[in-house]
Amino acid sequence: MKWIVNDLNIKKQADDLGISIWQTPSLLFLIMGIISIIVMIVVYFVSRNHTSPEYLILAETFVTVTIFVAGNMIITSVEKLTQINKMKSEFVAIVSHQLKNPLTGINWDIELLISKYKKGLDQKQLDIIKKINGSTILMTRLVNDLLDVVRIDQGNLFVNKDKFNIEGIIKKTIVKNESLTRQMNVEIRVEISDNTPQIVGDEKRLEVALDNLFSNAVKYNKEGGVVVIKVEKKNKEINLCVEDNGIGIPEKEQAQIFEKFYRSEKAIRKETGGTGLGLYIAKNIVEQCGGKIWFKSSEEKGSKFCFSLPLA
Ligand code: ADP
């Protein structure tokens, strides 16, 4: 029922797509339907009074031409939308690529400054450099997210089939988020058996997916909260879950949580930085690697995000 109402809300569609109302495919389709019905009724009445084949051929040609013109208008409108969408993706890809190189340079220089020339700097200077470092890490993450989104939208998110142990990416993710964890004063627990079997998937990309789930669990937690990473073997799969006892996701927003750019009102109010791309990317990566992703959440109690991957 809801989708019918959405389909008929042509003004909203035009606003969402950034085109005029007369270019909206739904409206064109509606007009095409109405015109076809009117033309067919007219043809019916006309042909009742004129039984000669010339009239019938003329009437049929008229119906065909009307449908052809209206159909052509719809196709042109859809083509225009596809072209705009393609141009937008290309623009984001070019900008992100151009931003990536200078950012990598800045990151290297900061790391060099901190590791080699630390002695020549006083505490205040070091604090400032660490702040700059934090900002460039955030910017790098954003640029990488944008590049991944473009790859997903263009159907170019190719994944490798590596055999690897999941413990490695868990450790790296925890280290990567150390400063965020400290800042939020969140305790991290890892529950994993010693002989976890190897899994198949793209190690680098799955690290990104786990990083998104883990950093969310920390970010949307409460002061002094807990994050538990749990790995379990189930039949021919491995389940990895990241559980927190943070702010949770309201039930009415849960259906949209994996949508591109979606951020819950609570998250926006909490003023945590974010783009709403993390879960969209994580879902696409896990599914491309042949796994599944799901979650359970309860407002004010916490969330549990899990994904499964095939065993090697
Ligand atoms: P971002 O964190 O950049 O906003 P994500 O795609 O990672 O984007 O998450 C989308 C939204 O899902 C978040 O804005 C937040 O509202 C909600 N969310 C994700 N993970 C959690 C979590 N562990 N606890 C509460 N809300 C979450």
Side-chain angles (χ1 to χ4, degrees), residues 145 212-213 215-221 242 244 246-250 253 256-259 261-268 272-281 297 302-305:
D145 278 357
N212 287 338
L213 301 192
S215 59
N216 280 348
V218 178
K219 234 171 27 173
Y220 302 116
N221 218 315
V242 182
D244 65 71
I247 62 171
I249 303 163
E253 297 190 63
Q256 287 146 288
I257 225 69
F258 286 109
E259 280 175 16
F261 295 119
Y262 187 80
R263 302 200 72 213
S264 82
E265 275 175 32
K266 262 186 140 183
I268 297 168
T272 42
T275 53
L277 294 174
L279 289 181
Y280 174 74
I281 293 170
S297 186
S303 312
K304 185 174 177 180
F305 280 84

Side-chain angles (χ1 to χ4, degrees), residues 214-259:
F214 181 78
S215 59
N216 280 348
V218 178
K219 234 171 27 173
Y220 302 116
N221 218 315
K222 294 173 187 158
E223 166 77 24
V226 181
V227 172
V228 184
I229 303 180
K230 197 170 179 178
V231 181
E232 272 176 336
K233 188 182 157 216
K234 278 222 172 121
N235 302 326
K236 287 182 176 168
E237 287 177 342
I238 268 220
N239 285 359
L240 188 153
C241 292
V242 182
E243 190 168 2
D244 65 71
N245 53 355
I247 62 171
I249 303 163
E251 215 177 314
K252 66 174 171 39
E253 297 190 63
Q254 291 188 3
Q256 287 146 288
I257 225 69
F258 286 109
E259 280 175 16

Side-chain angles (χ1 to χ4, degrees), residues 165-176:
N165 198 306
I166 204 143
E167 217 179 332
I169 61 169
I170 295 177
K171 281 185 183 151
K172 278 190 203 161
T173 305
I174 294 174
V175 171
K176 211 194 277 180

Side-chain angles (χ1 to χ4, degrees), residues 158-203:
F158 301 116
V159 292
N160 293 325
K161 297 266 175 217
D162 312 318
K163 274 187 195 169
F164 66 98
N165 198 306
I166 204 143
E167 217 179 332
I169 61 169
I170 295 177
K171 281 185 183 151
K172 278 190 203 161
T173 305
I174 294 174
V175 171
K176 211 194 277 180
N177 287 283
E178 250 170 15
S179 88
L180 181 68
T181 312
R182 222 176 303 121
Q183 206 180 309
M184 292 294 299
N185 189 23
V186 165
E187 185 194 332
I188 309 297
R189 287 186 208 144
V190 181
E191 294 177 14
I192 184 169
S193 63
D194 285 341
N195 52 352
T196 341
Q198 288 199 313
I199 51 165
V200 187
D202 192 312
E203 188 171 359

